[in-house]
Amino acid sequence: FTLPVEETRLTRYVSPSPFVPEDAAGRAERCEEILRIASLGLKKRLEHTGAKTAVVGLSGGLDSTLALLAARDAMEQLGLPAAGILGVSMPCVGTTKRTRGNAQALAELLGAEYREIDIRAAVEQHLRDLGHAPEVYDVTFENAQARERTQLLMDLANQENALVVGTGDLSELALGWCTYNGDHMSMYGVNASVPKTLVKALVGWHAKRLGEQNPRIQAVLLDILDTPISPELLPVGADGELVQRTEETLGKYDLHDFALYHMLRGGYGPERIFEMARLAWPELEPDYIRTTLTTFYRRFFSQQFKRSCLPDGPKVGSVTLSPRGDWRMPSDACAALWLAELEQLSIKD
């Protein structure tokens, strides 16, 4: 006889933030451990190179904020003053008053040296040299800014006998959301193993921790947390506000980090990750989840070449994309099978 076949549905709880513990105590413990790993890694690199100064490009965003905080802790462990950190703001056409002000305020409140170098004239000259029309806001326009900033940081490091501390995070590396040989490059990438969702948690943890000592630092950190994520590479609007929001282009970082975690840690395929994501975010439309996952797989496969030549950085968790450690992938790998699996999904309630 034939046993009846009945379709079953996954009903167990699925955390929407696999990188971030949901309980406050567990989250605080993880944040403290990550700060210790990142700062000790940077401390060792500074000792090894003999550098007494750390150069950090400050955008007023989450990633450069976290890198600055790790650098400050490393300096403390070395017995060096926070003034040994050179925080550099490099405003251009897309920089808002909010992010510019937060970058300066945080650097000064933490005791770091703050320097501002406007890159507009340099970028405009570079684009003229290329014969690039100034009103064409394409990838060349955007990448020219990122590479000009990296060139300045590297040359400043040479000038100051310093080390350029990278700010890019794990989520950006997974998606290739960085400019090759621009913000993609540094002398030591402290955030390279920290996904965006965990960056947010870490900045929030720092806000609470440092706020007990100085409420002004807490206020700046909370405002940085509240600022929309943006590369700020397109001209600001008539009101001076940003027009470029990363998650409007890529989809929610929460979803990208969810896919990254379960693909690398669990080895799950697109269909399973899709179904788990629907449980984790019942409020999201299934089509939005599939579209975002499609973006994730398409970019993850096409951007491996950026991960194949990463700067050194500390490993802070079980999921990492360093070519010298856990991740091996050819730069010309094809995403066709993964994308086909998503395309063939039957979306139903």
Side-chain angles (χ1 to χ4, degrees):
F1 74 104
T2 303
L3 290 173
V5 177
E6 181 179 342
E7 182 181 359
T8 60
R9 297 181 66 88
L10 185 63
T11 57
R12 66 178 173 83
Y13 174 73
V14 177
S15 171
S17 56
F19 284 109
V20 183
E22 294 186 27
D23 63 293
R27 188 163 57 251
E29 181 180 0
R30 183 166 302 182
C31 288
E32 186 174 357
E33 183 178 10
I34 289 171
L35 171 63
R36 184 166 60 250
I37 293 170
S39 59
L40 282 173
L42 179 56
K43 170 181 176 286
K44 175 62 178 176
R45 181 53 56 94
L46 288 166
E47 288 176 325
H48 181 76
T49 58
K52 297 290 192 295
T53 303
V55 176
V56 185
L58 300 179
S59 67
L62 290 164
D63 295 339
S64 64
T65 294
L66 187 58
L68 178 62
L69 291 164
R72 178 178 181 264
D73 200 70
M75 288 296 180
E76 285 183 356
Q77 293 181 50
L78 286 167
L80 296 173
I85 302 169
L86 174 55
V88 188
S89 172
M90 295 163 283
C92 198
V93 294
T95 306
T96 61
K97 289 182 179 179
R98 181 180 190 180
T99 53
R100 189 176 183 174
N102 280 338
Q104 180 174 359
L106 185 62
E108 293 176 348
L109 286 167
L110 292 176
E113 179 185 347
Y114 176 78
R115 195 176 301 180
E116 186 170 294
I117 304 173
D118 195 305
I119 66 169
R120 274 172 286 200
V123 171
E124 288 170 1
Q125 180 61 55
H126 178 64
L127 293 175
R128 280 196 297 270
D129 292 342
L130 291 175
H132 184 280
E135 70 279 2
V136 176
Y137 303 136
D138 58 4
V139 67
T140 304
F141 177 85
E142 295 190 36
N143 285 349
Q145 296 170 65
R147 293 193 176 107
E148 176 61 26
R149 289 181 171 123
T150 300
Q151 175 181 248
L152 276 172
L153 294 174
M154 292 288 182
D155 292 345
L156 277 171
N158 292 157
Q159 193 175 53
E160 302 286 341
N161 189 29
L163 194 86
V164 176
V165 179
T167 61
D169 65 50
L170 181 65
S171 305
E172 292 178 342
L173 290 173
L175 295 165
W177 196 249
C178 54
T179 298
Y180 190 78
N181 206 34
D183 53 318
H184 155 263
M185 191 47 59
S186 68
M187 295 174 181
Y188 195 78
V190 289
N191 296 339
S193 290
V194 186
K196 187 74 77 177
T197 48
L198 196 48
V199 170
K200 293 179 184 178
L202 279 157
V203 172
W205 174 74
H206 277 291
K208 182 178 180 180
R209 181 177 69 91
L210 296 175
E212 296 172 356
Q213 308 165 25
N214 189 332
R216 293 175 62 198
I217 294 178
Q218 183 181 58
V220 174
L221 290 175
L222 291 177
D223 193 59
I224 290 170
L225 266 175
D226 193 49
T227 303
I229 299 170
S230 171
E232 292 192 335
L233 295 172
L234 295 179
V236 295
D239 56 359
E241 296 300 313
L242 65 85
V243 298
Q244 194 177 21
R245 290 173 171 79
T246 299
E247 290 181 301
E248 290 180 2
T249 301
L250 295 177
K252 287 166 61 70
Y253 266 118
D254 306 66
L255 260 174
H256 290 296
D257 283 1
F258 184 89
L260 178 66
Y261 179 90
H262 289 293
M263 181 180 74
L264 297 190
R265 183 75 182 272
Y268 300 158
E271 183 175 6
R272 181 167 182 173
I273 292 174
F274 170 78
E275 293 298 342
M276 291 172 67
R278 290 187 66 183
L279 282 177
W281 291 283
E283 72 276 12
L284 293 180
E285 290 293 330
D287 277 332
Y288 175 81
I289 294 174
R290 177 161 64 176
T291 298
T292 303
L293 290 179
T294 297
T295 298
F296 171 80
Y297 284 107
R298 178 177 55 80
R299 294 194 64 94
F300 185 86
F301 277 81
S302 67
Q303 302 295 298
Q304 171 61 25
F305 72 99
K306 296 177 182 176
R307 301 187 291 266
S308 293
C309 54
L310 287 181
D312 287 344
K315 178 180 176 181
V316 304
S318 61
V319 176
T320 179
L321 292 171
S322 170
R324 293 171 295 277
D326 304 63
W327 188 246
R328 299 289 189 275
M329 179 180 180
S331 295
D332 53 358
C334 180
L337 293 177
W338 286 261
L339 295 175
E341 186 172 323
L342 279 174
E343 182 66 29
Q344 294 167 9
L345 286 178
S346 174
I347 298 178
K348 55 185 178 181
D349 295 328

